[in-house]
Amino acid sequence: MLRFFELERIDAVKRNVVERIKDFDEIYEIFKPEKAAEQADRCINCGDPYCHNGCPLHNFIPHWLKRTAEQDLEFAFNLSNESSPFPEVMGRICPHDRLCEGSCTLNDGYGAITIGSIETFISEEGFKRGMRPKFSEEKCGKKVAIVGAGPAGLSAATFLLREGVDVELFDRQNRPGGLLTYGIPGFKLDKKVVERRVKLLEKAGAVFHQNTEVGKDVSFENLVENFDAVFIGVGATKGRRPGINGEDAKGCYLAMEFLVDIQKKLFGEPRDKNIEVKGKKVVVIGGGDTAMDCVRTSLREQAASVKCLYRRDAHNMPGSRKEYINAKEEGVEFEFYCAPKEILKDENGAVVGVEMIKTRLGEPDEKGRQRVEEIPGSEFTEPADVVIFALGFDPVPYPFLAENGIETDRWGGILVDENYETTKPGVHAGGDCQRGADLVVTAVRDGREAAKAIVRKIRAAH
């Protein structure tokens, strides 16, 4: 360890940009064992590990870095799986620059440890060598229904199965994974990675009910009656529109509508929208990771041009820095300090452009972030054939919530106590449907902690 003086930070190699924009394959290569060990050996093994504290899952990062440096892969594999339900996923999609790597002591002049790439290596090399995460072989005779097979639901299932609790997941999509399967493009997360984890859960006893929407195909009351507990992890999938004239024009889409539709196209599944951007001028409004997913997907779908419009600057973009850099490398144009005022339509109601207005940053708001101010008289028109709104998400107000006395806050988030239990006893909730749109890693943590609380309650009752 402590080799940061002689070894510089090395990021995982990216595929050539000319080649990678032709397909949806992952752009990052997996570290070789020697490179992973070398990069892990840069860790200074802090007495108070900031990376551990900066990770919402509180992964045992310094410990598995040390074991990777020592080439004790089995220990590193088991330890990385201890606190995370799928480290090979989080190693790929977490905004490490804002979390673990952003908290690394070596950020100050030396370059943070490449934690995400090493985390991915540990799992992938472990799987290659036949290692598998461990689940309890003894069943406790209790079963839990999980509504939603996205990040929170899969996480809850993982930690319940580890305690010998049977789980059944009810999900409205054709395949499990939720956002991981349909919302995050393959160039960031290969769908085979998700499928592999699902198969591991199935082997451990999980039962998946796909194309099954709770409240329609199966009643929520049925789940409450027939299971020892219920966990709701349905995410926040209701996209936000800007509230401007023309936003319902032909060619205007919400980000998740677009991403899900394209992923279904790649899967060969029936599509809801049949969105096509090939040969068209695409404008994406927003600056987070979802916006980057949209612009990069549009490029791979052979759009004639792709432009991202954001009301602040690059420094203030809420997403991961590496995603912005990847988008720029791939040919996305960015226009900062501008906000939409109106969608312009032709006589057939189809999009022809967006009327924008230039902005500037003013005084800080109550959270310390500078407010966005419009500059009078600075309007301009951005031509567009397709406009995608990537402006965040809200929880969906499913009728079965109110019908069963499950209360929500004024934003639609499900109210829970310190044990993730809702206002209906025996029903727990976590992830974006509870806290509002957030990172995958926070949804995963909610699923883990809710599972632990459910197990405690089940055991206390018997």
Side-chain angles (χ1 to χ4, degrees):
M1 308 296 276
L2 301 173
R3 295 185 64 195
F4 64 95
F5 282 120
E6 56 187 276
L7 297 173
E8 64 177 352
R9 172 192 167 101
I10 301 293
D11 289 304
V13 174
K14 286 188 273 191
R15 295 169 59 209
N16 179 279
V17 67
V18 176
E19 294 302 317
R20 75 190 197 219
I21 62 172
K22 296 177 182 177
D23 57 47
F24 281 81
D25 294 344
E26 287 188 5
I27 75 165
Y28 288 100
E29 295 180 8
I30 306 296
F31 273 160
K32 296 288 189 287
E34 300 76 19
K35 182 61 68 178
E38 188 179 82
Q39 286 297 300
D41 215 11
R42 297 180 64 244
C43 177
I44 66 175
N45 211 9
C46 302
D48 183 8
Y50 297 112
C51 56
H52 168 82
N53 298 330
C55 170
L57 287 171
H58 295 309
N59 287 331
F60 306 112
I61 297 169
H63 303 85
W64 47 252
L65 286 175
K66 185 174 187 295
R67 295 297 183 161
T68 303
E70 295 169 350
Q71 299 190 41
D72 185 353
L73 184 66
E74 185 173 3
F75 191 101
F77 181 88
N78 290 334
L79 197 57
S80 69
N81 275 276
E82 183 67 26
S83 54
S84 175
F86 25 74
E88 72 280 11
V89 172
M90 308 318 297
R92 287 170 162 91
I93 67 171
C94 259
H96 306 98
D97 57 329
R98 290 165 51 194
L99 301 172
C100 55
E101 293 182 16
S103 302
C104 178
T105 303
L106 294 183
N107 253 329
D108 189 12
Y110 295 96
I113 307 297
T114 46
I115 296 168
S117 296
I118 296 170
E119 183 177 28
T120 303
F121 159 80
I122 291 170
S123 283
E124 292 303 334
E125 186 67 19
F127 283 128
K128 190 189 299 183
R129 299 189 194 180
M131 298 174 195
R132 297 294 181 266
K134 296 175 175 61
F135 294 95
S136 175
E137 294 183 3
E138 294 184 15
K139 297 296 184 179
C140 68
K142 301 297 178 183
K143 60 180 182 177
V144 173
I146 297 175
V147 184
L154 293 180
S155 179
T158 299
F159 288 94
L160 287 166
L161 287 165
R162 288 186 189 180
E163 297 297 328
V165 178
D166 287 315
V167 297
E168 294 189 31
L169 298 94
F170 299 82
D171 187 78
R172 64 180 180 176
Q173 293 287 9
N174 191 48
R175 304 169 189 236
L179 180 72
L180 304 178
T181 297
Y182 289 98
I184 296 176
F187 50 77
K188 288 168 63 175
L189 177 61
D190 190 315
K191 303 312 161 189
K192 290 186 176 63
V193 173
V194 182
E195 291 168 7
R196 180 177 58 198
R197 273 289 166 172
V198 169
K199 288 177 181 176
L200 288 169
L201 292 177
E202 288 178 326
K203 189 175 180 181
V207 177
F208 287 85
H209 302 276
Q210 297 304 132
N211 296 305
T212 304
E213 185 170 347
V214 173
K216 290 185 179 179
D217 303 303
V218 60
S219 74
F220 186 78
E221 294 80 4
N222 178 274
L223 302 185
V224 172
E225 184 178 341
N226 292 293
F227 289 82
D228 296 288
V230 177
F231 174 75
I232 303 172
V234 291
T237 57
K238 182 183 176 184
R240 296 173 186 161
R241 293 183 181 271
I244 58 177
N245 288 334
E247 62 182 26
D248 58 348
K250 296 175 186 175
C252 283
Y253 304 103
L254 295 170
M256 205 50 64
E257 284 181 336
F258 172 66
L259 293 172
V260 170
D261 196 72
I262 298 301
Q263 187 57 56
K264 286 183 175 181
K265 174 184 176 182
L266 296 171
F267 280 145
E269 295 180 0
R271 300 164 65 187
D272 303 318
K273 297 284 183 180
N274 292 303
I275 301 169
E276 298 294 342
V277 298
K278 184 176 180 179
K280 297 180 179 180
K281 297 187 288 290
V282 176
V283 167
V284 176
I285 298 174
D289 282 347
T290 301
M292 298 307 101
D293 292 344
C294 290
V295 293
R296 297 177 67 198
T297 294
S298 297
L299 282 173
R300 286 160 173 78
E301 286 290 294
Q302 301 177 39
S305 65
V306 182
K307 199 161 190 177
C308 180
L309 308 179
Y310 183 54
R311 60 184 184 158
R312 290 186 167 91
D313 58 8
H315 177 71
N316 281 283
M317 292 173 79
S320 174
R321 178 75 180 170
K322 72 177 183 179
E323 294 306 316
Y324 165 62
I325 292 172
N326 289 337
K328 284 197 72 175
E329 288 176 352
E330 292 171 3
V332 176
E333 297 179 67
F334 286 85
E335 178 97 27
F336 295 112
Y337 293 116
C338 60
K341 297 295 287 182
E342 183 179 1
I343 302 298
L344 306 176
K345 302 181 287 187
D346 63 16
E347 62 275 8
N348 297 315
V351 173
V352 294
V354 187
E355 183 178 318
M356 305 290 295
I357 188 167
K358 293 184 178 179
T359 61
R360 61 188 169 214
L361 298 182
E363 293 298 313
D365 59 19
E366 59 277 2
K367 294 182 179 179
R369 195 179 191 198
Q370 286 180 281
R371 300 178 192 274
V372 175
E373 300 175 350
E374 296 182 354
I375 300 174
S378 64
E379 291 83 359
F380 67 97
T381 299
E382 186 66 50
D385 303 310
V386 172
V387 176
I388 301 170
F389 301 120
L391 302 171
F393 306 92
D394 294 313
V396 175
Y398 291 102
F400 70 80
L401 297 174
E403 291 169 0
N404 287 273
I406 299 171
E407 296 179 14
T408 57
D409 60 24
R410 60 193 179 101
W411 296 283
I414 299 173
L415 293 173
V416 299
D417 62 15
E418 66 277 8
N419 293 311
Y420 289 87
E421 192 163 19
T422 69
T423 49
K424 184 175 182 63
V427 176
H428 297 68
D432 290 1
C433 66
Q434 173 254 315
R435 67 172 60 249
D438 207 329
L439 301 174
V440 170
V441 68
T442 54
V444 166
R445 181 190 62 199
D446 288 348
R448 181 187 71 184
E449 297 306 305
K452 291 179 179 179
I454 290 170
V455 170
R456 287 195 300 268
K457 186 169 183 178
I458 287 174
R459 287 176 175 167
H462 297 82

